[in-house]
Amino acid sequence: MSEPAAAPIPAASIDRLLRPKSVAIVGASPTPGALGNQLLANLDAAGFAGDIHLINPKRDTIGARPCLKSIDDLPDGVDVAVLAIPRVAVLASVKALAARGVGGAIIFSAGFAEGGEEGLAEQREIARVASDAGMVVLGPNCLGMINFVSDVELTFVGMPKSPKNDARRIGIVSQSGAMAAVIAVTLIGKELPLSFYISTGNEAQSQTEDYLEYLIGDADTQVICVVAEQLRQPRRFQQLARQAKAAGKPIVMLHPGRSAAARESAATHTGAMAGDNKVMQVLAERAGVILAHDLEEAGDLLDLAVRCGPLKPGSAILGESGAFKALALDTAEEIGLVLPPLTEENSPLLRAAMPDFVAVSNPVDLTAQALVDPDLYRRTFDALLKDERLGAIIICLIQTDEATAIRKFPHISDAIDTLHPATPVIVTGLDDGAVIDPKHIARLRAQGVPYFPTSDRAFRAVARMQAAAARDDRAADLAPVSVDLPAAGGVIPEHRAKALLAPLGIPFPKSQLATTVEEAKAAAAAVGYPVVLKAQSPDLSHKSDAGGVIVGPKTDAELAAAWDKMHRDVAHHVPGLVLDGILIEAMGERGLELIVGARNDADWGPVILVGFGGVTAEILKDVALLPPDLTPDAIVAALRGLKQGVLLDGWRGSPALDVDAVAEVIGQVGRLLAAEPAIREIDLNPVVVYPKGRGCVALDALILADPKA
């Protein structure tokens, strides 16, 4: 769980840090390679026009600049000070900067929170001092920042110059300075302009969310890249992501941690399967974030975000090989890249544009005809650009060598100049490493056309961007619902969980709790034989593992025998356990078993788990995590999207099932979890689904709750 969220940093304070008119370097040095020396060199190389104050108690000058002996000698109101000094001197320096009214401090030094309790205590004191003084601290353990718009480089990292073209600018906020630098260099290499590079490091006081909020309101930033190992204010992050989407500023985020083990839970299947990173993915994407799987994909997605903007679903692939056409179809199916069928009948313009021997299809195989008929690219583009089914056109070129490339690239660029395509066009090579003149790629990029060295990268990036644009943003009504949770919290066993959930419309079999065998017989008579016996205790979450479930007694005698056996088995598996009683429940009709669960993540909030369940749920893991506010239609679509989803609509003569009834149960669980933050987890496993019109029934229920304050 994250630490308590710090108060948001005002935009005006961050503006002073990121757009300073005066800078102090604490630890300025004439020694090549020293951090203070490289920082000064970067400022000079960038042409920083503001005041620079050097602080070094051992020197009177560095180069032609005078040195101050201490922070106390600074004039009042310096905008930002960069601390290029050892850790032991940092806290005292921050206090001195606060006393001089310095607006912000950038701390390169490491060894704070990541160095143990002493370092963590110092880091917290730095945050307290800075906050009390209204000063912004970037870091510690960071690489600083670069303002590419105003040419302010407050970092010791050498960075190539950002291009000054007319494309939309990208702002980078990263907890890892190294990864921020890698992404920045990658983007600059793609001729993509940057606005800011902000390395937040340990985030002692100012955090990723503060800089994200700033960039959302920044006129110089149109696309945002976030690299975060831990988001310290996840709910604020989600709110900001929604604001960014509403402002038309896509966020591409790289969040390491997919391989981390899911958070363990002794109580529910849901807790075991809904790991921290999975919860983050679902709720971040719901807020509009586009998640990148790795550094390479982050660069590719940002390239498309800048040059193409939102990509509506549907792509056409233009290739030059029949074998590649088959490979492209394989990849498209694997990654979910939607390729609308193009046929002789439904694409007459495309048919007219191509020679008779070139078949109309998607992908289109132009063969080598364009080498002898270079106008073929223009004619084909023109036809495809008029096809409203297409959100992107991906041209996949066999480049081979410069002689071949010069017979392709100029004609493609000429066609783009002539047609001014509204549909995004992406160009990719097939033979990565082919030697071609960089001017061809540069011309495409200047035209707003992304270039990828491989088709696979292009397909995956386009598929991800189109999926993001196609997300259903509609939200269900989360009208408040509530249950009377026990004050003590903890595991709420099945019989009590069902009593709490049944009034919400969640269907359960008829049942009664019995504490004696005579009560059990009376309960069986009331619910009707055959019955199921279930041991009930908050300390017996997985009843079947301890012999706490017996199915099928049909008579009082069989019931009594089952009663005795269950008590013996449970006592053997869990010595000393005192049962609340045994739930006597009517046996339900067989049907398809699903699991419906929910988890209220302490940081990110509520998320719903649905999938194919029963005892195999944790083995097969055919499940999906959903936001709690999906509409019924979106829930049904998610159910059908499971690996075994075809079973819901009938399979080999079996009837279609009542997925709408399941969607209603899922919706109610979502409403409850959103309204009751004290509920940590809910588990309904299995939920048995019957043919359409006959509903569903939850056979088991468990709730894990926090104590009431």
Side-chain angles (χ1 to χ4, degrees):
M1 181 175 175
S2 302
E3 291 189 24
I9 306 294
S13 298
I14 294 180
D15 196 67
R16 195 173 170 192
L17 174 75
L18 299 183
R19 290 185 163 90
K21 295 180 175 61
S22 55
V23 173
I25 302 177
V26 183
S29 172
T31 305
L35 300 188
N37 180 270
Q38 186 60 50
L39 170 63
L40 180 58
N42 284 348
L43 275 173
D44 286 340
F48 179 66
D51 296 331
I52 299 177
H53 306 281
L54 307 184
I55 300 174
N56 186 323
K58 298 179 180 180
R59 299 191 63 87
D60 295 324
T61 61
I62 293 178
R65 289 187 172 93
C67 281
L68 303 176
K69 297 301 181 184
S70 75
I71 292 171
D72 296 337
D73 297 326
L74 281 172
D76 290 337
V78 171
D79 285 326
V80 61
V82 185
L83 304 186
I85 55 178
R87 181 187 71 82
V88 294
V90 168
L91 178 56
S93 296
V94 169
K95 291 178 178 178
L97 292 171
R100 298 305 301 156
V102 174
I106 297 175
I107 305 173
F108 293 152
S109 310
F112 289 91
E114 78 280 13
E117 287 300 319
E118 181 182 349
L120 177 59
E122 284 192 23
Q123 181 171 304
R124 287 173 173 164
E125 181 63 7
I126 288 169
R128 185 196 66 78
V129 170
S131 296
D132 289 349
M135 181 169 67
V136 181
V137 170
L138 182 63
N141 190 24
C142 77
L143 299 189
M145 78 89 188
I146 301 174
N147 177 338
F148 291 98
V149 179
S150 303
D151 296 318
V152 182
E153 297 195 13
L154 299 183
T155 179
F156 57 86
V157 175
M159 186 72 66
K161 299 298 180 185
S162 172
K164 302 283 189 180
N165 56 42
D166 294 332
R168 303 197 301 167
R169 289 181 176 269
I170 303 167
I172 301 171
V173 182
S174 174
Q175 291 167 345
S176 166
M179 293 302 96
V182 168
I183 288 177
V185 171
T186 298
L187 299 176
I188 291 169
K190 295 175 180 285
E191 291 293 312
L192 295 168
L194 308 182
S195 59
F196 291 96
Y197 158 105
I198 305 167
S199 165
T200 62
N202 287 11
E203 300 187 344
Q205 182 228 19
S206 63
Q207 301 179 343
T208 296
E209 291 82 2
D210 295 310
Y211 298 101
L212 175 58
E213 184 167 11
Y214 180 86
L215 294 178
I216 292 170
D218 177 49
D220 292 317
T221 302
Q222 290 77 42
V223 177
I224 301 169
C225 173
V226 174
V227 182
E229 297 164 78
Q230 178 194 14
L231 287 161
R232 291 173 170 82
Q233 301 179 59
R235 300 192 194 217
R236 181 184 173 199
F237 176 82
Q238 292 175 67
Q239 293 172 348
L240 292 171
R242 293 186 183 96
Q243 291 177 24
K245 184 171 183 179
K249 295 189 177 186
I251 298 174
V252 173
M253 182 166 74
L254 182 62
H255 193 300
R258 292 196 311 277
S259 62
R263 181 182 294 172
E264 293 185 3
S265 170
T268 72
H269 293 283
T270 303
M273 291 188 288
D276 296 346
N277 194 266
K278 294 178 182 177
V279 172
M280 178 280 300
Q281 290 179 43
V282 169
L283 297 182
E285 287 186 339
R286 179 62 169 168
V289 177
I290 304 166
L291 293 173
H293 290 112
D294 51 42
L295 285 164
E296 186 177 81
E297 186 174 62
D300 293 344
L301 293 172
L302 289 163
D303 194 352
L304 292 178
V306 169
R307 292 194 163 104
C308 300
L311 292 179
K312 74 175 188 179
S315 296
I317 296 174
L318 298 186
E320 302 172 310
S321 159
F324 173 71
K325 174 180 175 179
L327 290 172
L329 287 169
D330 290 344
T331 301
E333 181 175 310
E334 173 192 338
I335 65 176
L337 179 65
V338 178
L339 303 178
L342 304 180
T343 66
E344 305 273 342
E345 293 74 24
N346 69 19
S347 305
L349 294 179
L350 184 60
R351 172 68 281 163
M354 300 190 303
D356 292 342
F357 61 84
V358 175
V360 176
S361 62
N362 192 11
V364 179
D365 174 18
L366 293 178
T367 71
Q369 183 63 18
L371 290 174
V372 296
D373 180 13
D375 189 55
L376 180 58
Y377 292 119
R378 183 197 60 77
R379 299 197 309 270
T380 306
F381 292 170
D382 193 24
L384 293 174
L385 291 172
K386 295 171 181 175
D387 193 327
E388 295 183 354
R389 294 169 294 175
L390 302 178
I393 299 170
I394 309 171
I395 307 162
C396 304
L397 298 177
I398 300 172
Q399 301 159 131
T400 311
D401 55 20
E402 177 55 18
T404 303
I406 205 167
R407 301 175 72 179
K408 297 181 179 182
F409 282 90
H411 295 290
I412 291 171
S413 285
D414 288 347
I416 290 168
D417 279 341
T418 299
L419 298 171
H420 304 292
T423 303
V425 175
I426 296 101
V427 174
T428 172
L430 297 189
D431 37 7
D432 188 18
V435 178
I436 59 174
D437 194 324
K439 70 182 181 184
H440 300 312
I441 298 171
R443 184 181 176 192
L444 287 171
R445 287 172 170 163
Q447 294 173 306
V449 175
Y451 172 83
F452 289 83
T454 68
S455 60
D456 188 73
R457 283 174 57 181
F459 294 164
R460 292 180 187 278
V462 169
R464 295 294 305 286
M465 293 295 286
Q466 289 180 329
R471 288 178 194 147
D472 186 349
D473 290 335
R474 294 174 300 162
D477 177 20
L478 291 182
V481 295
S482 64
V483 294
D484 186 16
L485 297 173
V491 175
I492 301 174
E494 177 184 5
H495 69 287
R496 295 170 65 196
K498 287 181 173 178
L500 292 171
L501 297 174
L504 303 182
I506 296 176
F508 298 108
K510 294 179 181 179
S511 64
Q512 291 184 14
L513 185 70
T515 57
T516 67
V517 70
E518 292 306 317
E519 288 181 0
K521 292 176 182 178
V527 303
Y529 281 111
V531 295
V532 180
L533 284 70
K534 300 179 182 179
Q536 300 294 299
S537 168
D539 299 317
L540 194 65
S541 300
H542 300 302
K543 300 181 287 292
S544 59
D545 296 344
V549 178
I550 296 178
V551 178
K554 302 181 183 65
T555 65
D556 285 357
E558 291 179 5
L559 176 64
W563 180 276
D564 291 340
K565 182 178 187 305
M566 179 171 291
H567 278 87
R568 291 194 304 270
D569 290 346
V570 170
H572 173 73
H573 282 88
V574 192
L577 179 69
V578 177
L579 296 177
D580 293 353
I582 294 178
L583 192 67
I584 309 300
E585 190 167 81
M587 276 191 64
E589 181 183 345
R590 288 182 178 275
L592 184 69
E593 292 188 0
L594 300 178
I595 181 172
V596 175
R599 170 177 161 188
N600 218 331
D601 186 88
D603 295 327
W604 285 88
V607 66
I608 310 300
L609 180 141
V610 299
F612 285 80
V615 295
T616 63
E618 291 181 36
I619 300 172
L620 300 179
K621 290 184 171 62
D622 186 8
V623 298
L625 290 181
L626 310 176
D629 61 344
L630 289 185
T631 62
D633 287 347
I635 294 172
V636 169
L639 289 169
R640 289 193 170 115
L642 294 167
K643 296 173 187 175
Q644 302 170 77
V646 292
L647 298 177
L648 298 170
D649 291 316
W651 176 252
R652 294 188 174 180
S654 61
L657 301 181
D658 204 334
V659 290
D660 292 333
V662 180
E664 177 61 27
V665 169
I666 294 168
Q668 282 294 85
V669 170
R671 282 186 279 275
L672 175 60
L673 213 66
E676 288 282 1
I679 296 179
R680 288 168 56 192
E681 294 175 11
I682 297 175
D683 204 48
L684 305 177
N685 183 34
V687 174
V688 180
V689 192
Y690 299 118
K692 192 170 184 63
R694 294 180 53 194
C696 64
V697 62
L699 299 188
D700 201 352
L702 196 69
I703 297 174
L704 178 62
D706 291 324
K708 290 186 177 179

